[in-house]
Amino acid sequence: MGLIKTPVKGMRDFLPEEMALREYVLNVMKDTYENFGFSLIGTPTVEHIENLTSNQGGENEKLIFKILKRGEKLDLKSENVSDLIDSGLRYDLTVPLSRFYASHMNELSSPFRAFQVGYSYRAERPQRGRYRELMQCDLDILGEKTCLAEIELITAVITFLKKLDFQNFKIRINDRRILLKMIEYIGLPLEKVDSILIILDKMDKIGLDGVTKELENLGLESEKVKSYLQLFKEDKTDLTSFCNSFDLESDILENLKEIMDTIKNVLQVDLVFDPTLVRGMGYYTGPIFEISADGLSSSIGGGGRYDKMIENFAGISVPAVGFSVGFERLLLLLEERGFKVPEEKEKIAFVLKSDSKLKEVCNEAMKLRSDNKIVKIVYRNKNFKFQKENLEKEHYEIKEI
């Protein structure tokens, strides 16, 4: 059987032009987030399986690439999964960050502003803008209990997007406590909260009738399902009147209004309250938000408050809010609109016909490189026309020697 030259399904190779775009976007992101006081950190791609399967990752826990134990620890005869597996590839950056913070919190400032960039892995069906290996870019503020954290995160991400000339995007915002209060108010069984919210999250895909059918298939009372979904038919343009229909606590309402009013005032963006916004992760405890953009049905970023997760690692309560940008989807949108990386350096290619001037050209090249120019030395190919076309495509000034 011959070797396979194509990547594993859901994984990709990147050509130089594609990598140049990825690096450019990452550099814009790093510069922007640095201006907001975020510090770049790193965590391993491989995580303890106990951490990945702690019932906090929602549907993503079904998509874990699990890693077998090694050596004597691996008992292939056992039918017990715990005897076979002790780790897995991370499906996001939030679980590793929580472990990281619990391990290093005495060495970090408080509140701590973390910026992470790295690959995550999900064993899902690949499709447009969705891959099994995906670059994730996360911003998190740990130790800040006020809505300043949400405001700063959203402001930082929008500032970054505007630097890439994104204009037509919308921010949707909700609060997990509102979702829980609605379920409690109607009297739906609290032990089925996660299942109910997973179905509600499909509202934009299967519609009200589809959600109704799936909720009833959970064994919920038909009249209670009807009353529950009736709440979503209330006037959603006025946050206060919507929340008054099920007696939401005033502090939750005021906190959400403060976030919305401040962001609208600072950024002048399209920000709307959406009571059907759920976010798939089970670890969210407060405000949640997503950004969508023209040309892509899925969001290009989202996040929220997860005040309970770090406590599972550290044993003490630590407020936390995070925002993840869908880097791969963002790149897809930029490529589709023909975005080109700005040329910042002069590029020169010396094309040698023979060895006669090799030393001379190498010396000249080093002088130019020390002057911050990009210099490539190549020998002339037999098919010089093709070689020249590629150099010109890469924006090199060609000097034949």
Side-chain angles (χ1 to χ4, degrees):
M1 184 177 179
L3 298 180
I4 302 170
K5 66 180 182 180
T6 56
V8 172
K9 187 177 181 180
M11 314 289 181
R12 293 165 296 159
D13 295 325
F14 298 106
L15 296 171
E17 187 175 351
E18 294 171 316
M19 279 304 300
L21 177 59
R22 295 173 76 84
E23 288 300 305
Y24 173 77
V25 173
L26 282 175
N27 287 333
V28 172
M29 181 185 291
K30 289 175 182 178
D31 288 344
T32 304
Y33 295 167
E34 183 180 290
N35 290 342
F36 278 79
F38 288 90
S39 300
L40 189 63
I41 65 164
T43 56
T45 302
V46 177
E47 186 58 72
H48 300 291
I49 196 65
E50 296 88 346
N51 296 349
L52 296 175
T53 56
S54 55
N55 296 319
Q56 299 180 106
E59 292 291 287
N60 285 326
E61 292 194 9
K62 299 177 182 178
L63 306 174
I64 298 172
F65 282 100
K66 297 176 181 177
I67 301 174
L68 291 175
K69 292 181 178 180
R70 279 75 58 203
E72 295 179 356
K73 293 182 179 180
L74 177 60
D75 182 6
L76 291 174
K77 296 179 181 179
S78 176
E79 295 182 359
N80 189 337
V81 174
S82 63
D83 290 334
L84 301 173
I85 296 164
D86 61 2
S87 57
L89 299 181
R90 63 190 180 194
Y91 53 74
D92 78 352
L93 300 180
T94 306
V95 172
L97 171 66
S98 299
R99 179 199 51 74
F100 167 91
Y101 186 76
S103 179
H104 300 284
M105 58 192 306
N106 292 331
E107 308 162 50
L108 302 170
S109 59
S110 183
F112 180 61
R113 297 188 172 209
F115 172 35
Q116 273 194 99
V117 176
Y119 281 104
S120 295
Y121 298 84
R122 298 173 188 171
E124 60 183 345
R125 183 172 62 87
Q127 52 187 293
R128 180 175 180 267
R130 190 181 294 270
Y131 308 97
R132 289 178 172 175
E133 180 184 62
L134 60 148
M135 174 69 76
Q136 286 196 297
C137 309
D138 282 17
L139 278 186
D140 295 81
I141 297 180
L142 313 174
E144 177 56 69
K145 64 182 180 180
T146 74
C147 65
L148 173 63
E150 284 90 346
I151 292 167
E152 282 283 82
L153 287 175
I154 295 173
T155 304
V157 172
I158 294 300
T159 301
F160 157 65
L161 289 171
K162 286 186 173 181
K163 287 186 178 180
L164 294 176
D165 200 30
F166 277 95
Q167 302 296 332
N168 299 319
F169 51 83
K170 176 185 291 186
I171 306 172
R172 297 187 298 144
I173 192 167
N174 195 10
D175 194 303
R176 291 283 287 204
R177 293 169 294 181
I178 292 177
L179 292 167
L180 295 176
K181 184 66 176 180
M182 293 169 73
I183 291 172
E184 183 182 276
Y185 178 77
I186 296 300
L188 295 173
L190 296 181
E191 65 270 16
K192 293 189 177 182
V193 163
D194 289 343
S195 298
I196 292 170
L197 293 182
I198 287 172
I199 293 171
L200 179 65
D201 199 29
K202 302 177 184 178
M203 181 74 81
D204 60 338
K205 296 181 178 67
I206 63 177
L208 188 62
D209 291 342
V211 169
T212 301
K213 184 177 180 180
E214 290 201 16
L215 288 175
E216 290 177 348
N217 288 341
L218 275 181
L220 304 179
E221 295 178 30
S222 180
E223 284 303 311
K224 287 187 176 181
V225 168
K226 183 179 179 181
S227 298
Y228 174 60
L229 295 178
Q230 182 62 39
L231 293 175
F232 294 98
K233 296 180 180 179
E234 302 292 334
D235 180 15
K236 293 181 289 188
T237 59
D238 188 287
L239 174 61
T240 302
S241 61
F242 178 85
C243 293
N244 283 344
S245 62
F246 49 88
D247 303 327
L248 181 71
E249 289 86 344
S250 60
D251 60 326
I252 298 175
L253 176 61
E254 291 306 315
N255 183 71
L256 196 57
K257 287 174 66 177
E258 183 72 15
I259 295 171
M260 296 178 67
D261 291 345
T262 302
I263 291 174
K264 285 181 179 179
N265 180 62
V266 172
L267 296 172
Q268 290 82 48
V269 294
D270 185 8
L271 187 151
V272 297
F273 167 65
D274 183 353
T276 66
L277 177 63
V278 173
R279 299 288 297 160
M281 302 302 189
Y283 49 65
Y284 289 121
T285 59
I288 50 178
F289 31 83
E290 282 190 355
I291 295 179
S292 58
D294 288 350
L296 199 66
S297 58
S298 303
S299 67
I300 57 172
R305 181 169 287 272
Y306 55 100
D307 285 347
K308 302 292 184 181
M309 183 180 285
I310 296 175
E311 185 174 359
N312 295 329
F313 291 94
I316 60 172
S317 178
V318 178
V321 187
F323 202 139
S324 180
V325 170
F327 185 77
E328 307 299 348
R329 297 175 186 173
L330 186 63
L331 266 290
L332 178 64
L333 289 176
L334 290 173
E335 289 169 354
E336 289 182 347
R337 76 184 198 191
F339 184 88
K340 298 296 182 183
V341 175
E343 293 289 342
E344 297 181 353
K345 294 183 179 181
E346 185 180 349
K347 302 171 76 173
I348 300 168
F350 289 103
V351 180
L352 299 177
K353 297 177 181 178
S354 68
D355 292 334
S356 62
K357 295 188 177 181
L358 179 58
K359 292 181 180 179
E360 179 183 331
V361 169
C362 286
N363 285 327
E364 178 65 18
M366 287 307 295
K367 291 178 183 178
L368 292 170
R369 288 165 181 157
S370 64
D371 197 28
N372 206 32
K373 292 179 173 59
I374 298 172
V375 181
K376 180 187 290 189
I377 305 173
V378 298
Y379 281 101
R380 183 184 176 114
N381 288 347
K382 291 181 179 179
N383 189 352
F384 179 59
K385 180 181 178 183
F386 180 71
Q387 183 183 30
K388 184 178 180 181
E389 287 175 353
N390 281 328
L391 288 171
E392 290 174 343
K393 184 179 179 180
E394 295 173 11
H395 306 292
Y396 279 93
E397 176 190 347
I398 299 171
K399 295 187 175 182
E400 297 183 56
I401 304 297

